[in-house]
């Protein structure tokens, strides 16, 4: 019965988490497909730079609280949940205020660096979205800690559907889109998603309107390194686009983003497994110790490698067709970029699960320093390579940083958990017959 319950958890959680990522990529690619055709290359590049910047800002806030809130709610007794939630909302409110001041203060500077004056109004309006999304993030963390992946999927799906529907209607009815209109739509979809999440999280939402300094301290002390890790991680995957916009132009940043968007198709299983593994690893650390964590890491990475390889081969062999289908004939230069960015995917499972596993066993400080070092290397390499080789330089620089991060991460996991790279390949090889036997053959 215990084995059955474990299998049921992975199947149910995996289904909704995978479904969320599938729908997210579908709507993202769909919106991306349409925006490429109704926005000019410069406007699309400006939108990419805006989205990259706001993603970093969202990560700044979420990185400090998200893993900490999930971990403590998943591991602590229910009698403490109202204190944990109250402390989390307190920190989130303070961080939101700081970030909004940053947006209002530095929006004009970024618009000048990227030669995009329209970004000033866009950034200022986005502050409304930022406040709403902060509440939504808190609700989703509580749902995730209680393993309610279906509820997270529902609110996320409706939000994504709303944005996609707007751009689709504008496309089919040949309506003009201004970038500021897209921000207004973001406000509406985030508000809708937050209201839906509120009704879904109510059975698990235990909150007090008091300030619990002890729990604020605990959340902050746990989250401060996870915060640095999250910010460094998001910088490592966005710095190439930001530096392309500053050194070259928004048009070049937009072209590079096309390759990244197509590559993100392969992030579906990685993101799905990462969402499942973190709360599960926090529980396993308590019940099974490091042996259980070691198995969880090797098994999850092996499964991801097995899922990724067919997709990488397909996209590499049919890159010309895929780029033309998704982005049109104006982005042929994206094909060599795609060939390089696809190689990132081989290292993504190791890096993503490295952070999740170390964070779940309380090694957030170590994760932070590793990611900080790798991100610094990435920034330095991007500056040098973009200056010398243009757009291709950004792809090669980021690939080199991934390789360096892989070797650093595996050496640490070997020391901490005796993790074996060889075992990840064994689990990857075993995945195919195991999947066929359990889910296709029916035995």
């Amino acid at each position: 019965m215990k084995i059955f319950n474990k299998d049921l958890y992975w199947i149910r959680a995996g289904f909704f988490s995978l479904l969320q990522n599938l729908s997210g990529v579908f709507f993202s690619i769909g919106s991306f497909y349409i925006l490429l055709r109704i926005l000019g290359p410069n406007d699309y590049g400006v939108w990419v730079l805006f989205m990259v910047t706001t993603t970093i800002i969202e990560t700044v806030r979420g990185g400090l609280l998200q893993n900490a809130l999930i971990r403590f709610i998943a591991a602590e007794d229910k009698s403490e949940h109202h204190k944990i939630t109250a402390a989390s909302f307190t920190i989130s409110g303070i961080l939101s205020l700081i970030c909004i001041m940053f947006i209002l203060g530095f929006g004009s500077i970024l618009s000048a660096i990227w030669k995009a004056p329209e970004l000033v109004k866009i950034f200022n309006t986005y502050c409304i979205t930022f406040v709403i999304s902060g509440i939504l993030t808190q609700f989703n963390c509580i749902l995730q800690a209680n393993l309610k992946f279906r509820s997270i999927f529902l609110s996320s799906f409706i939000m994504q559907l709303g944005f996609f529907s707007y751009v689709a209607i504008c496309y089919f009815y040949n309506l003009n889109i201004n970038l500021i209109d897209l921000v207004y739509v973001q406000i509406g979809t985030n508000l809708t998603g937050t209201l839906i999440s509120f009704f879904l999280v109510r059975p698990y939402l235990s909150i007090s309107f008091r300030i619990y300094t002890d729990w604020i301290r605990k959340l902050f002390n746990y989250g401060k390194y996870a915060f640095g890790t999250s910010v460094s991680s998001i910088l490592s995957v966005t710095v190439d686009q930001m530096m392309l916009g500053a050194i070259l132009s928004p048009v070049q940043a937009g072209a590079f983003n096309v390759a990244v968007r197509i590559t993100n198709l392969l992030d579906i299983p990685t993101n799905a497994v990462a969402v499942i593994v973190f709360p599960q690893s926090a529980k396993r650390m308590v019940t099974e110790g490091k042996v259980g964590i070691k198995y969880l890491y090797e098994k999850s990475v092996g499964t991801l490698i097995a899922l990724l390889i067919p997709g990488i081969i397909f996209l590499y062999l049919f890159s010309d067709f895929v780029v033309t289908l998704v982005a049109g004939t104006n982005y042929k230069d994206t094909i060599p970029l795609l060939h390089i960015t696809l190689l990132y995917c081989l290292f993504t499972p190791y890096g993503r699960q490295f952070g999740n596993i170390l964070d779940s066993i309380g090694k957030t400080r170590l994760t932070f320093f590793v990611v900080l070092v790798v991100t610094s290397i990435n920034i330095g390499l991007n500056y040098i390579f973009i200056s010398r080789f243009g757009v291709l330089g950004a792809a090669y620089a980021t690939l080199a940083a991934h390789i360096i991060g892989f070797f650093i991460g595996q050496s640490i996991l070997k020391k901490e958990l005796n993790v074996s790279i060889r075992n990840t390949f064994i689990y990857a090889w075993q995945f195919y017959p195991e999947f066929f036997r359990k889910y296709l053959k029916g035995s």
Side-chain angles (χ1 to χ4, degrees):
M1 181 64 68
K2 186 177 180 181
I3 294 174
F4 173 78
N5 288 336
K6 284 185 177 180
D7 288 342
L8 187 63
Y9 165 80
W10 281 92
I11 293 170
R12 184 181 297 166
F15 173 75
F16 286 110
S17 185
L18 184 62
L19 200 60
Q20 180 181 346
N21 281 279
L22 279 170
S23 64
V25 171
F26 171 79
F27 288 126
S28 178
I29 291 293
S31 301
F32 156 71
Y33 177 91
I34 294 171
L35 290 175
L36 278 172
R37 285 157 175 78
I38 59 179
L39 297 177
N42 187 72
D43 277 354
Y44 178 73
V46 171
W47 180 250
V48 166
L49 293 172
F50 164 72
M51 290 301 297
V52 165
T53 306
T54 55
T55 299
I56 293 172
I57 295 171
E58 292 281 358
T59 304
V60 166
R61 179 178 57 193
L64 182 61
L65 291 172
Q66 196 162 339
N67 283 354
L69 181 57
I70 293 169
R71 181 180 187 272
F72 284 117
I73 288 182
E76 294 290 332
D77 189 85
K78 286 187 177 181
S79 62
E80 295 293 312
H81 286 188
H82 68 287
K83 299 178 183 178
I84 298 170
T85 306
S88 181
F89 270 100
T90 301
I91 298 174
S92 178
I94 296 171
L95 265 179
S96 297
L97 181 60
I98 294 172
C99 289
I100 288 172
M101 292 173 63
F102 174 86
I103 295 169
L104 296 175
F106 288 90
S108 58
I109 297 175
L110 290 175
S111 67
I113 292 174
W114 289 325
K115 303 177 183 65
E118 62 268 40
L119 276 175
V120 176
K121 184 178 180 180
I122 292 173
F123 278 131
N124 292 345
T125 307
Y126 165 75
C127 291
I128 302 172
T129 307
F130 187 69
V131 173
I132 300 170
S133 67
I135 301 171
L136 176 62
T137 299
Q138 297 289 303
F139 291 162
N140 284 343
C141 287
I142 297 170
L143 289 169
Q144 185 178 337
N146 286 279
L147 311 180
K148 299 301 175 183
F149 298 99
R150 179 171 58 182
S151 298
I152 300 173
F153 162 71
L154 180 61
S155 63
S156 175
F157 179 85
I158 293 175
M159 284 176 57
Q160 294 159 351
L161 176 63
F163 187 87
F164 172 77
S165 298
Y166 173 77
V167 296
I169 290 170
C170 291
Y171 176 67
F172 287 115
Y173 288 95
N174 200 26
L175 302 176
N176 183 49
I177 287 184
N178 295 316
L179 296 183
I180 190 65
D181 296 332
L182 297 177
V183 183
Y184 293 144
V185 175
Q186 283 185 334
I187 295 173
T189 55
N190 272 269
L191 183 60
T192 302
T194 302
L195 291 173
I196 293 170
S197 289
F198 172 71
F199 287 106
L200 294 172
V201 81
R202 279 193 303 174
Y204 316 98
L205 183 61
S206 176
I207 189 170
S208 171
F209 294 97
R210 292 176 56 188
I211 296 176
Y212 296 95
T213 55
D214 288 344
W215 273 111
I216 290 175
R217 190 179 302 110
K218 287 180 182 179
L219 288 172
F220 180 80
N221 286 336
Y222 179 90
K224 62 185 178 184
Y225 294 113
F227 159 79
T229 301
S230 299
V231 174
S232 298
S233 295
I234 196 65
L235 281 174
S236 70
V237 297
T238 57
V239 67
D240 38 26
Q241 297 170 68
M242 297 181 74
M243 294 183 74
L244 281 169
I247 298 174
L248 301 179
S249 71
V251 175
Q252 300 296 330
F256 189 85
N257 180 260
V258 173
V260 172
R261 289 275 190 154
I262 295 173
T263 304
N264 284 346
L265 287 169
L266 299 175
D267 276 344
I268 298 172
T270 305
N271 292 333
V273 173
V275 170
I276 300 166
V277 164
F278 183 78
Q280 185 74 353
S281 60
K283 293 179 182 293
R284 281 206 176 191
M285 184 59 188
V286 176
T287 59
E288 301 178 28
K290 290 188 175 182
V291 175
I293 299 295
K294 174 183 183 295
Y295 169 78
L296 190 65
Y297 176 83
E298 294 172 349
K299 182 70 173 180
S300 60
V301 169
T303 301
L304 287 170
I305 293 295
L307 291 170
L308 288 172
I309 287 176
I312 293 173
I313 294 173
F314 174 83
L315 288 177
Y316 192 91
L317 293 177
F318 298 98
S319 54
D320 193 345
F321 168 76
V322 173
V323 169
T324 302
L325 177 67
V326 173
T329 57
N330 294 328
Y331 289 90
K332 288 288 187 180
D333 292 343
T334 298
I335 296 172
L337 290 171
L338 179 60
H339 290 164
I340 302 170
T341 57
L342 284 173
L343 298 177
Y344 301 176
C345 298
L346 294 173
F347 301 98
T348 300
Y350 292 95
R352 182 72 59 83
Q353 299 303 82
F354 165 80
N356 279 325
I357 293 298
L358 282 193
D359 284 354
S360 69
I361 64 175
K363 297 284 184 178
T364 51
R365 181 177 182 181
L366 180 58
T367 311
F368 164 67
F369 284 117
V370 171
V371 177
L372 181 63
V373 168
V374 175
T375 302
S376 300
I377 293 171
N378 193 14
I379 293 173
L381 289 176
N382 264 279
Y383 180 78
I384 296 170
F385 283 25
I386 291 173
S387 300
R388 293 187 178 183
F389 308 114
V391 182
L392 277 175
Y396 283 120
T398 305
L399 175 60
H402 272 76
I403 295 172
I404 293 170
F406 167 78
F407 284 108
I408 294 174
Q410 293 310 299
S411 63
I412 291 172
L413 287 175
K414 178 69 176 177
K415 180 180 178 182
E416 293 287 337
L417 301 173
N418 196 31
V419 162
S420 168
I421 299 175
R422 178 174 173 271
N423 286 347
T424 64
F425 290 114
I426 292 174
Y427 287 128
W429 177 258
Q430 292 174 345
F431 171 82
Y432 302 109
E434 183 180 337
F435 182 83
F436 176 80
R437 185 173 62 254
K438 284 187 175 181
Y439 304 108
L440 298 182
K441 190 177 179 181
S443 59

